[in-house]
Coordinates of all heavy atoms in Angstrom, one line a residue:
D5 N -2.6 7.0 5.5 CA -3.8 7.2 6.2 C -5.0 7.2 5.2 O -6.1 6.6 5.5 CB -3.8 8.6 7.0 CG -2.9 8.6 8.1 OD1 -2.5 7.5 8.6 OD2 -2.4 9.7 8.6
V6 N -4.9 7.9 4.1 CA -6.0 7.9 3.1 C -6.2 6.5 2.5 O -7.3 6.1 2.3 CB -5.7 9.0 2.0 CG1 -6.8 9.0 1.0 CG2 -5.5 10.3 2.6
H7 N -5.1 5.9 2.2 CA -5.2 4.5 1.7 C -5.8 3.6 2.7 O -6.7 2.7 2.4 CB -3.7 4.0 1.4 CG -3.7 2.7 0.7 ND1 -2.5 2.1 0.4 CD2 -4.7 1.9 0.2 CE1 -2.8 1.0 -0.3 NE2 -4.1 0.8 -0.4
F8 N -5.5 3.7 4.0 CA -6.2 3.0 5.1 C -7.7 3.2 5.1 O -8.5 2.2 5.1 CB -5.6 3.3 6.4 CG -6.2 2.7 7.6 CD1 -5.8 1.4 8.0 CD2 -7.2 3.4 8.3 CE1 -6.5 0.8 9.1 CE2 -7.8 2.8 9.4 CZ -7.5 1.5 9.8
L9 N -8.1 4.4 5.0 CA -9.6 4.7 5.0 C -10.2 4.1 3.8 O -11.3 3.5 3.9 CB -9.8 6.3 5.0 CG -9.3 7.1 6.2 CD1 -9.5 8.6 5.9 CD2 -10.0 6.6 7.4
D10 N -9.6 4.2 2.6 CA -10.2 3.6 1.4 C -10.3 2.1 1.6 O -11.3 1.5 1.2 CB -9.4 3.9 0.2 CG -9.5 5.3 -0.3 OD1 -10.4 6.0 0.1 OD2 -8.6 5.8 -1.0
T11 N -9.3 1.4 2.2 CA -9.3 0.0 2.3 C -10.3 -0.5 3.3 O -11.0 -1.5 3.0 CB -7.9 -0.5 2.7 OG1 -6.9 -0.1 1.7 CG2 -7.8 -2.0 3.0
V12 N -10.5 0.1 4.4 CA -11.4 -0.3 5.4 C -12.8 -0.1 4.9 O -13.7 -0.9 5.1 CB -11.2 0.4 6.8 CG1 -12.3 0.0 7.8 CG2 -9.8 0.0 7.3
K13 N -13.1 1.1 4.3 CA -14.4 1.3 3.7 C -14.7 0.3 2.6 O -15.8 -0.2 2.5 CB -14.5 2.8 3.2 CG -14.5 3.9 4.2 CD -14.5 5.2 3.5 CE -14.5 6.4 4.6 NZ -14.5 7.7 3.9
G14 N -13.7 0.1 1.8 CA -13.9 -0.9 0.7 C -14.3 -2.3 1.2 O -15.1 -3.0 0.6
S15 N -13.7 -2.6 2.3 CA -14.0 -4.0 2.9 C -15.3 -4.0 3.6 O -15.8 -5.1 4.0 CB -12.9 -4.3 4.0 OG -13.2 -3.6 5.2
D16 N -16.1 -2.9 3.6 CA -17.3 -2.7 4.3 C -17.2 -3.1 5.8 O -18.0 -3.7 6.4 CB -18.4 -3.6 3.7 CG -19.8 -2.9 3.6 OD1 -19.9 -1.8 4.1 OD2 -20.7 -3.4 2.9
W17 N -16.0 -2.6 6.3 CA -15.7 -2.8 7.7 C -15.5 -4.3 8.1 O -15.6 -4.6 9.3 CB -16.6 -2.1 8.6 CG -16.2 -0.6 8.8 CD1 -15.4 -0.1 9.8 CD2 -16.6 0.5 8.0 NE1 -15.3 1.3 9.5 CE2 -16.0 1.6 8.5 CE3 -17.4 0.6 6.8 CZ2 -16.1 2.9 7.9 CZ3 -17.5 1.8 6.2 CH2 -16.9 3.0 6.7
G18 N -15.2 -5.1 7.1 CA -14.9 -6.5 7.4 C -13.5 -6.8 7.6 O -13.1 -7.9 8.1
A19 N -12.6 -5.8 7.3 CA -11.2 -6.1 7.4 C -10.6 -6.0 8.8 O -11.2 -5.4 9.7 CB -10.4 -5.1 6.6
D20 N -9.5 -6.7 9.0 CA -8.7 -6.5 10.3 C -7.9 -5.2 10.1 O -7.0 -5.1 9.3 CB -7.8 -7.7 10.5 CG -7.0 -7.7 11.8 OD1 -6.6 -6.6 12.2 OD2 -6.9 -8.8 12.4
Q21 N -8.3 -4.2 10.9 CA -7.7 -2.9 10.7 C -6.3 -2.9 11.1 O -5.5 -2.0 10.6 CB -8.5 -1.9 11.5 CG -10.0 -1.7 11.0 CD -10.7 -0.5 11.6 OE1 -10.1 0.5 12.0 NE2 -12.0 -0.6 11.6
E22 N -5.8 -3.7 12.0 CA -4.4 -3.8 12.3 C -3.6 -4.2 11.1 O -2.5 -3.7 10.7 CB -4.1 -4.7 13.5 CG -2.6 -4.7 13.9 CD -2.4 -5.5 15.2 OE1 -3.3 -6.2 15.6 OE2 -1.3 -5.4 15.7
V23 N -4.1 -5.2 10.4 CA -3.5 -5.7 9.2 C -3.5 -4.6 8.1 O -2.5 -4.4 7.4 CB -4.2 -7.0 8.7 CG1 -3.7 -7.4 7.3 CG2 -3.8 -8.2 9.6
A24 N -4.7 -4.0 8.0 CA -4.8 -2.9 7.0 C -3.7 -1.8 7.2 O -3.1 -1.3 6.3 CB -6.2 -2.3 7.0
R25 N -3.5 -1.4 8.5 CA -2.5 -0.4 8.8 C -1.1 -0.9 8.4 O -0.3 -0.1 7.9 CB -2.6 -0.1 10.3 CG -1.6 0.9 10.8 CD -1.5 2.2 10.0 NE -2.6 3.0 10.1 CZ -2.7 4.2 9.4 NH1 -1.8 4.6 8.6 NH2 -3.8 5.0 9.6
M26 N -0.8 -2.1 8.8 CA 0.5 -2.7 8.4 C 0.7 -2.6 6.9 O 1.8 -2.2 6.4 CB 0.6 -4.1 8.9 CG 0.7 -4.3 10.4 SD 0.4 -6.1 10.8 CE 1.6 -6.9 9.8
F27 N -0.3 -3.0 6.2 CA -0.2 -3.1 4.7 C 0.0 -1.7 4.1 O 0.9 -1.5 3.3 CB -1.5 -3.7 4.2 CG -1.7 -3.5 2.7 CD1 -1.0 -4.3 1.8 CD2 -2.6 -2.6 2.2 CE1 -1.2 -4.1 0.4 CE2 -2.8 -2.5 0.8 CZ -2.1 -3.2 -0.1
V28 N -0.8 -0.7 4.5 CA -0.7 0.6 3.8 C 0.7 1.3 4.1 O 1.2 2.1 3.3 CB -1.9 1.5 4.2 CG1 -3.2 0.9 3.7 CG2 -1.9 1.9 5.7
E29 N 1.2 1.0 5.3 CA 2.5 1.6 5.7 C 3.7 1.0 4.9 O 4.6 1.6 4.5 CB 2.8 1.5 7.2 CG 1.8 2.2 8.1 CD 1.9 3.7 8.0 OE1 3.0 4.2 7.5 OE2 1.0 4.4 8.5
A30 N 3.5 -0.3 4.6 CA 4.6 -1.1 3.9 C 4.6 -1.0 2.4 O 5.6 -1.1 1.8 CB 4.6 -2.5 4.4
A31 N 3.4 -0.7 1.9 CA 3.2 -0.8 0.4 C 4.1 0.2 -0.4 O 4.7 -0.2 -1.4 CB 1.7 -0.5 0.0
P32 N 4.3 1.5 0.0 CA 5.2 2.4 -0.7 C 6.6 1.9 -0.7 O 7.3 2.0 -1.7 CB 5.1 3.7 0.0 CG 3.7 3.6 0.7 CD 3.6 2.2 1.1
I33 N 7.0 1.3 0.4 CA 8.4 0.8 0.5 C 8.6 -0.4 -0.5 O 9.6 -0.5 -1.2 CB 8.7 0.3 1.9 CG1 8.6 1.5 2.9 CG2 10.1 -0.4 2.0 CD1 8.6 1.1 4.3
E34 N 7.6 -1.3 -0.6 CA 7.6 -2.4 -1.4 C 7.6 -2.1 -2.9 O 8.3 -2.7 -3.7 CB 6.5 -3.4 -1.1 CG 6.7 -4.8 -1.6 CD 7.8 -5.5 -0.8 OE1 8.0 -5.3 0.4 OE2 8.6 -6.3 -1.4
M35 N 6.9 -1.0 -3.3 CA 6.9 -0.6 -4.7 C 8.2 -0.1 -5.1 O 8.7 -0.4 -6.2 CB 5.8 0.5 -4.9 CG 4.4 0.1 -4.7 SD 3.8 -1.4 -5.5 CE 3.7 -2.5 -4.0
R36 N 8.9 0.6 -4.2 CA 10.2 1.1 -4.6 C 11.2 0.0 -4.6 O 12.2 0.0 -5.4 CB 10.6 2.2 -3.6 CG 9.7 3.5 -3.6 CD 10.2 4.6 -2.7 NE 9.4 5.7 -2.8 CZ 8.5 6.1 -1.9 NH1 8.3 5.3 -0.8 NH2 7.7 7.2 -2.0
R37 N 11.0 -1.0 -3.7 CA 11.9 -2.2 -3.7 C 11.8 -2.9 -5.0 O 12.8 -3.4 -5.6 CB 11.6 -3.1 -2.5 CG 12.6 -4.2 -2.3 CD 12.1 -5.3 -1.4 NE 11.3 -4.9 -0.3 CZ 11.8 -4.5 0.9 NH1 13.1 -4.6 1.2 NH2 10.9 -4.2 1.9
L38 N 10.6 -3.1 -5.5 CA 10.3 -3.8 -6.8 C 11.0 -3.0 -7.9 O 11.6 -3.6 -8.8 CB 8.8 -3.9 -7.0 CG 8.1 -4.9 -6.1 CD1 6.6 -4.8 -6.4 CD2 8.6 -6.3 -6.3
A39 N 10.9 -1.7 -7.9 CA 11.6 -0.9 -8.9 C 13.1 -1.1 -8.9 O 13.8 -1.3 -9.9 CB 11.3 0.6 -8.7
H40 N 13.7 -1.2 -7.6 CA 15.1 -1.5 -7.5 C 15.5 -2.9 -8.0 O 16.6 -3.0 -8.6 CB 15.5 -1.4 -6.0 CG 16.9 -1.8 -5.7 ND1 18.0 -1.0 -6.1 CD2 17.4 -2.8 -5.0 CE1 19.1 -1.5 -5.7 NE2 18.8 -2.7 -5.1
W41 N 14.6 -3.8 -7.9 CA 14.8 -5.2 -8.4 C 14.6 -5.2 -9.9 O 15.0 -6.2 -10.5 CB 13.9 -6.2 -7.7 CG 14.3 -6.5 -6.3 CD1 15.4 -6.1 -5.7 CD2 13.5 -7.2 -5.4 NE1 15.4 -6.6 -4.4 CE2 14.3 -7.3 -4.1 CE3 12.3 -7.9 -5.4 CZ2 13.8 -7.9 -3.0 CZ3 11.8 -8.5 -4.2 CH2 12.6 -8.6 -3.1
G42 N 14.0 -4.2 -10.5 CA 13.9 -4.2 -12.0 C 12.5 -4.1 -12.6 O 12.4 -4.2 -13.8
V43 N 11.5 -3.9 -11.8 CA 10.1 -3.8 -12.4 C 10.0 -2.5 -13.1 O 10.3 -1.4 -12.6 CB 9.0 -3.8 -11.3 CG1 7.7 -3.5 -11.8 CG2 9.0 -5.2 -10.6
P44 N 9.6 -2.5 -14.4 CA 9.6 -1.3 -15.2 C 8.2 -0.5 -15.1 O 7.4 -0.5 -16.0 CB 9.7 -1.9 -16.7 CG 9.0 -3.2 -16.6 CD 9.3 -3.7 -15.2
W45 N 8.1 0.1 -13.9 CA 6.8 0.9 -13.7 C 6.7 2.0 -14.7 O 7.7 2.6 -15.1 CB 6.8 1.5 -12.3 CG 6.8 0.5 -11.1 CD1 7.8 0.4 -10.1 CD2 5.8 -0.4 -10.7 NE1 7.4 -0.5 -9.2 CE2 6.2 -1.1 -9.6 CE3 4.6 -0.8 -11.3 CZ2 5.5 -2.0 -8.9 CZ3 3.9 -1.8 -10.7 CH2 4.3 -2.4 -9.5
N46 N 5.5 2.3 -15.1 CA 5.3 3.6 -15.8 C 5.7 4.7 -14.9 O 5.5 4.7 -13.7 CB 3.8 3.7 -16.2 CG 3.5 2.9 -17.4 OD1 3.6 1.6 -17.4 ND2 3.0 3.5 -18.5
R47 N 6.2 5.8 -15.6 CA 6.8 6.9 -14.8 C 6.1 8.2 -15.1 O 5.6 8.4 -16.2 CB 8.3 7.0 -15.1 CG 9.1 5.7 -14.8 CD 9.4 5.6 -13.3 NE 10.0 4.4 -12.9 CZ 10.7 4.2 -11.8 NH1 10.8 5.2 -10.9 NH2 11.3 3.1 -11.5
V48 N 6.1 9.1 -14.2 CA 5.6 10.4 -14.4 C 6.4 11.2 -15.4 O 7.7 11.2 -15.4 CB 5.6 11.2 -13.1 CG1 5.2 12.7 -13.3 CG2 4.7 10.6 -12.0
V49 N 5.7 11.8 -16.4 CA 6.4 12.7 -17.3 C 5.9 14.1 -17.1 O 4.7 14.4 -17.1 CB 6.0 12.3 -18.8 CG1 6.7 13.3 -19.8 CG2 6.5 10.9 -19.0

């Protein structure tokens, strides 16, 4: 939800908000999928 607000504000309300909602919901899943495939993300210490 916070990511969605940032994205739409950042777009100056030019974005398709349905697409923005799809994107922000899927992004966390995709980052973890990339980690599973082998991306060496920096990690919390």
Side-chain angles (χ1 to χ4, degrees):
D5 290 340
V6 180
H7 190 183
F8 175 86
L9 295 177
D10 287 343
T11 298
V12 175
K13 288 178 181 178
S15 78
D16 222 353
W17 275 268
D20 185 320
Q21 294 191 28
E22 185 174 10
V23 167
R25 175 52 69 181
M26 290 166 52
F27 167 75
V28 300
E29 297 290 346
I33 299 169
E34 201 66 38
M35 297 309 109
R36 296 184 180 104
R37 192 195 320 270
L38 291 174
H40 176 68
W41 287 350
V43 172
W45 297 119
N46 280 61
R47 301 285 176 157
V48 174
V49 177

